Amino acid sequence: KVLEKREVSSERPLVIITAENAINPATKLQKEIHASLGKHIPFYVTESAIFCSTIEAENSSIDIQSEDFDVLPFDPSRVPFSFPELPFLQPEENFPLLLTRKIYTYNCASAAIAYLGALKGYHLYGEAANDEDIARLLELLYADVNSVLCKQYDIALADQEDFALRSKVKFQNKEILDSVERNARDASRKLASDERLIGPLVLAVKHRLLSHASAV
């Protein structure tokens, strides 16, 4: 409906920014919108990477608790004109690589914490991330993922290690009252061949890199 209204106005094309932890969400969404419109109306879909945790408050449909994070990296290559100068919008030159690194680092570790935390009976995500056994496995997992990503994408090891460390600090922050259940949802999607758990493992096999974490 919004697109149809803008079609007859003098406004420039609508820009939709996805906020989804998935591979190529903008392409998929743009394809579905085009298919449902049945006619050509100009619009653009680009992607952002969400690095902060935001959790619904209990017993409320509108209140949220969100981690303090003031940057939204997005892909500027999908939009042929400049965005307004908003301080929180951060154009990322190689956005597909950033999103892949996020899914294979942040989301890989997040899934490991969630499923191992569920296995050990944790409810609060921060407590699971600080569990001695899970934390030990995380160190091995990060080492594996860092090695794989540096080999596949020619990333400097120090840069990737810093990237991974930021995710570990986030996950082990007990002030972020996240749940194991929320992070473990939608397991079938998260087990896809290009997703957070299987994707890095496929790259490890490709480069014949020994996985220390999978042997634990």
Side-chain angles (χ1 to χ4, degrees):
K1 291 181 179 179
V2 171
L3 284 169
E4 289 175 346
K5 288 181 179 179
R6 292 174 77 104
E7 182 185 23
V8 297
S9 74
S10 60
E11 296 180 74
R12 65 184 179 183
L14 179 69
V15 176
I16 302 168
I17 304 179
T18 66
E20 180 64 36
N21 288 319
I23 304 297
N24 296 323
T27 299
K28 296 171 184 176
L29 181 59
Q30 188 150 5
K31 180 180 178 180
E32 291 298 323
I33 293 174
H34 272 303
S36 65
L37 280 173
K39 58 181 177 179
H40 178 72
I41 302 176
F43 70 95
Y44 299 94
V45 183
T46 188
E47 302 172 4
S48 66
I50 307 299
F51 284 91
C52 69
S53 292
T54 302
I55 301 99
E56 302 167 1
E58 292 186 10
N59 304 316
S60 173
S61 61
I62 58 173
D63 292 329
I64 61 172
Q65 179 196 44
S66 185
E67 181 185 2
D68 186 7
F69 196 88
D70 61 357
V71 174
L72 184 67
F74 77 99
D75 185 357
S77 69
R78 291 177 174 269
V79 184
F81 49 82
S82 298
F83 275 87
E85 294 295 325
L86 300 174
F88 62 87
L89 278 177
Q90 177 179 293
E92 189 70 31
E93 183 177 345
N94 191 345
F95 185 84
L97 177 58
L98 174 68
L99 195 58
T100 298
R101 288 176 70 189
K102 179 184 184 297
I103 292 173
Y104 286 6
T105 306
Y106 276 69
N107 297 94
C108 177
S110 172
I113 294 167
Y115 296 128
L116 292 172
L119 187 65
K120 300 194 75 171
Y122 283 102
H123 170 67
L124 290 177
Y125 186 81
E127 291 183 357
N130 283 281
D131 177 271
E132 183 177 339
D133 295 329
I134 295 176
R136 187 182 306 115
L137 181 63
L138 270 182
E139 291 295 332
L140 297 174
L141 180 62
Y142 279 128
D144 287 344
V145 168
N146 291 346
S147 178
V148 163
L149 291 179
C150 290
K151 184 75 172 179
Q152 175 70 16
Y153 299 108
D154 195 27
I155 302 168
L157 180 59
D159 182 27
Q160 175 59 29
E161 286 178 338
D162 181 64
F163 188 79
L165 180 60
R166 291 199 298 272
S167 77
K168 180 184 176 184
V169 170
K170 165 192 167 81
F171 296 146
Q172 292 185 332
N173 182 356
K174 292 184 178 181
E175 292 184 1
I176 302 173
L177 300 179
D178 206 348
S179 69
V180 166
E181 184 273 335
R182 191 186 76 84
N183 286 275
R185 293 174 189 167
D186 200 9
S188 59
R189 176 175 66 85
K190 294 173 182 177
L191 289 172
S193 61
D194 60 354
E195 262 285 352
R196 60 205 69 194
L197 291 173
I198 307 301
L201 190 57
V202 169
L203 292 180
V205 172
K206 172 184 176 181
H207 292 289
R208 299 181 180 181
L209 297 173
L210 177 64
S211 172
H212 299 87
S214 63
V216 174

